[in-house]
């Protein structure tokens, strides 16, 4: 079977084609074979490792079991750390990407209405509609991604409790969820430089804009470049009844004008992003961090402050030294007023079996209060 652009072509036994769905922008597989309940897990795993995707025709629940069996085989490979923590990080990320590639080779079909034409298949129509919008034709998606779409739909329904709001934020598929609440608490507690205007750069779910509005800031402009994030932020701001204070705007970093407070929580780790959720964690060449710092001074009102919320995990991994960050601040004509720190409470910080445990255990999240020199 061959592929062209985002269309998958195969013979079954007549020539067929379907849209290829990948929220992360991954290309369709080059080789695809039919698979059903008779395929042993060892054979499926071998084919996936060789780069052959498996288009499932059997029972949906059996496909789930096969994916679990393939995952067990992937995880049997011992991970060998590098000589340094930086090398270990790169090797670990390569291993995780390879794991995702292999497990992403098990595919399931979808009809034009996002129904799954397989036995014992769940109803995923609303979840897929939320993630992909209308496509109006048959499609194929990896089962692993589909499971992520279903999980995102459940998070969207239930929401994530945010103590600083005494409410829930409802993340959309592909928009980073505020499950690490320590950075939200920093914004909720730091002393405001004023309450007239604020910008929230890279708003995502809109959680920080909502926190600032609840703290009494009268006019907030929250920006993002991602259409899913903009829709998500608007929905959350409307649900919280804050639309009279918060305007959501499509912009690459800063909106027009100046503000007393400009907040930015950029991706914390420099490096390439390989999926939509990766873009919330990895900042290629520190582009967003550099852009925020470079443009901050000219968008601050007199006596205004920029709040940079940043983990120092990259420092502990040897990916970006503190001196580089401080040089970026100085070169942008900024000065550090204060640095407020907190310790992360996520489970990986306590997991001694994590290959990156030494860095995670030492990690702090900080709110850097910056002002123009």
């Amino acid at each position: 079977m061959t592929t062209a652009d985002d269309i998958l072509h195969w013979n079954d036994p007549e020539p067929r084609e379907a849209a290829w769905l990948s929220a992360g922008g991954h290309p369709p597989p080059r080789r695809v074979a039919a698979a059903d309940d008779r395929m042993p897990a060892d054979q499926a795993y071998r084919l996936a490792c060789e780069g052959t995707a498996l288009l499932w025709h059997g029972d949906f629940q059996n496909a789930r079991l096969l994916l679990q069996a393939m995952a067990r085989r992937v995880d049997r490979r011992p991970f060998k750390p590098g000589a340094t923590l930086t090398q270990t990080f790169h090797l670990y990320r390569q291993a995780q990407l390879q794991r995702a590639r292999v497990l992403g080779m098990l595919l399931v079909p979808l009809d034009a209405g996002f129904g799954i034409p397989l036995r014992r298949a769940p109803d995923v129509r609303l979840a897929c509609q939320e993630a992909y919008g209308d496509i109006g034709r048959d499609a194929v998606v990896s089962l692993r991604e589909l499971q992520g779409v279903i999980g995102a739909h459940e998070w969207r329904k239930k929401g994530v409790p945010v103590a600083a709001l005494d409410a829930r934020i409802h993340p959309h598929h592909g928009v980073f969820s505020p499950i690490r609440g320590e950075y939200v608490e920093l914004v909720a507690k730091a002393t405001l430089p004023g309450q007239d205007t604020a910008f929230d750069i890279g708003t995502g779910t809109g959680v920080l804009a909502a926190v600032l509005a609840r703290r009494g800031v009268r006019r907030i402009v929250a920006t993002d470049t991602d259409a899913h994030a903009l829709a998500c932020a608007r929905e959350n701001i409307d649900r919280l009844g804050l639309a009279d204070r918060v305007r959501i705007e499509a912009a690459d970093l800063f909106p027009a004008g100046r503000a007393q407070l400009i907040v930015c929580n950029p991706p914390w780790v420099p490096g390439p992003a390989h999926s939509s959720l990766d873009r919330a964690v990895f900042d290629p060449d520190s582009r967003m961090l550099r852009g925020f710092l470079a443009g901050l001074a000219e968008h601050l009102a007199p006596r205004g402050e920029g709040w940079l919320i940043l983990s120092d995990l990259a420092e502990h991994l040897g990916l970006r030294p503190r001196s580089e960050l401080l040089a970026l601040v100085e070169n942008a004509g900024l000065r550090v007023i204060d640095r407020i720190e907190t310790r992360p409470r996520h489970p990986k910080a306590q997991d001694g079996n994590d290959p990156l445990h030494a860095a995670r255990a030492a990690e702090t999240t900080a709110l850097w209060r910056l002002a123009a020199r």
Side-chain angles (χ1 to χ4, degrees):
M1 302 180 187
T2 60
T3 61
D5 297 327
D6 58 351
I7 304 298
L8 188 67
H9 299 268
W10 73 97
N11 296 316
D12 191 22
E14 298 296 322
R16 292 189 59 192
E17 68 175 33
W20 168 250
L21 299 182
S22 172
H26 300 297
R30 295 181 179 276
R31 298 190 303 274
V32 184
D36 58 26
D37 306 307
R38 297 168 294 180
M39 178 167 284
D42 285 338
Q43 181 184 3
Y45 175 62
R46 176 177 56 78
L47 289 170
C49 288
E50 293 171 351
T52 299
L54 307 171
L55 182 56
W56 192 254
H57 293 282
D59 179 273
F60 181 85
Q61 301 304 325
N62 286 344
R64 289 180 59 250
L65 294 174
L66 177 61
L67 187 62
Q68 293 171 10
M70 292 169 65
R72 288 194 294 271
R73 284 158 174 77
V74 173
D75 295 338
R76 286 174 189 165
R77 297 177 177 177
F79 174 75
K80 296 180 180 180
T84 66
L85 200 49
T86 305
Q87 291 177 352
T88 297
F89 166 77
H90 290 300
L91 290 170
Y92 182 66
R93 193 165 189 223
Q94 288 174 9
Q96 292 300 102
L97 290 171
Q98 174 65 8
R99 183 182 193 274
R101 188 192 70 81
V102 170
L103 297 183
M105 288 293 179
L106 184 56
L107 315 179
V108 293
L110 298 168
D111 63 30
F114 292 125
I116 304 176
L118 301 175
R119 298 187 306 276
R120 293 199 298 166
D123 185 349
V124 300
R125 290 174 295 178
L126 180 55
C128 288
Q129 175 69 36
E130 291 172 348
Y132 304 116
D134 293 315
I135 58 170
R137 62 175 300 170
D138 292 349
V140 173
V141 64
S142 83
L143 176 56
R144 191 168 186 264
E145 171 156 327
L146 182 61
Q147 289 176 331
V149 167
I150 296 169
H153 172 67
E154 293 303 314
W155 277 113
R156 182 169 176 172
K157 283 197 304 181
K158 297 175 183 176
V160 177
V162 178
L165 292 171
D166 192 23
R168 289 176 178 266
I169 287 290
H170 297 257
H172 291 193
H173 180 261
V175 182
F176 193 69
S177 171
I179 52 175
R180 285 190 58 167
E182 73 268 12
Y183 75 93
V184 180
E185 293 174 10
L186 288 171
V187 173
K189 294 176 180 178
T191 302
L192 292 170
Q195 292 184 297
D196 286 338
T197 56
F199 296 161
D200 175 20
I201 308 303
T203 192
T205 61
V207 61
L208 297 185
V211 168
L212 293 174
R214 284 283 177 85
R215 294 194 63 187
V217 179
R218 287 179 281 275
R219 186 177 71 87
I220 302 158
V221 182
T223 68
D224 212 298
T225 58
D226 184 82
H228 290 285
L230 292 166
C232 179
R234 288 190 183 101
E235 183 179 298
N236 282 308
I237 293 300
D238 288 345
R239 181 185 284 110
L240 293 168
L242 299 172
D244 60 331
R245 293 179 175 231
V246 182
R247 184 173 83 247
I248 308 299
E249 184 176 304
D252 187 2
L253 298 176
F254 299 94
R258 296 175 179 266
Q260 289 177 312
L261 173 62
I262 305 180
V263 176
C264 183
N265 175 34
W268 292 344
V269 180
H274 300 287
S275 70
S276 55
L277 285 180
D278 260 8
R279 289 192 286 273
V281 179
F282 294 94
D283 188 7
D285 299 320
S286 298
R287 176 194 172 276
M288 186 173 181
L289 173 63
R290 292 173 181 273
F292 171 70
L293 293 175
L296 179 59
E298 66 182 278
H299 287 91
L300 282 176
R303 295 180 296 281
E305 291 184 18
W307 288 0
L308 172 65
I309 300 98
L310 198 65
S311 157
D312 64 359
L313 181 63
E315 296 176 23
H316 297 295
L317 291 173
L319 301 174
R320 183 177 55 222
R322 177 69 60 88
S323 59
E324 179 181 329
L325 175 60
L326 293 175
L328 290 174
V329 170
E330 183 176 357
N331 293 338
L334 302 168
R335 60 187 176 90
V336 178
I337 301 173
D338 194 9
R339 183 172 182 270
I340 308 168
E341 292 185 353
T342 187
R343 286 280 186 179
R345 298 183 295 273
H346 59 87
K348 284 190 175 181
Q350 314 299 326
D351 183 5
N353 294 320
D354 185 338
L356 306 177
H357 174 70
R360 298 192 196 279
E363 178 188 7
T364 61
T365 303
L367 186 153
W368 294 75
R369 294 178 56 206
L370 306 173
R373 284 206 305 269

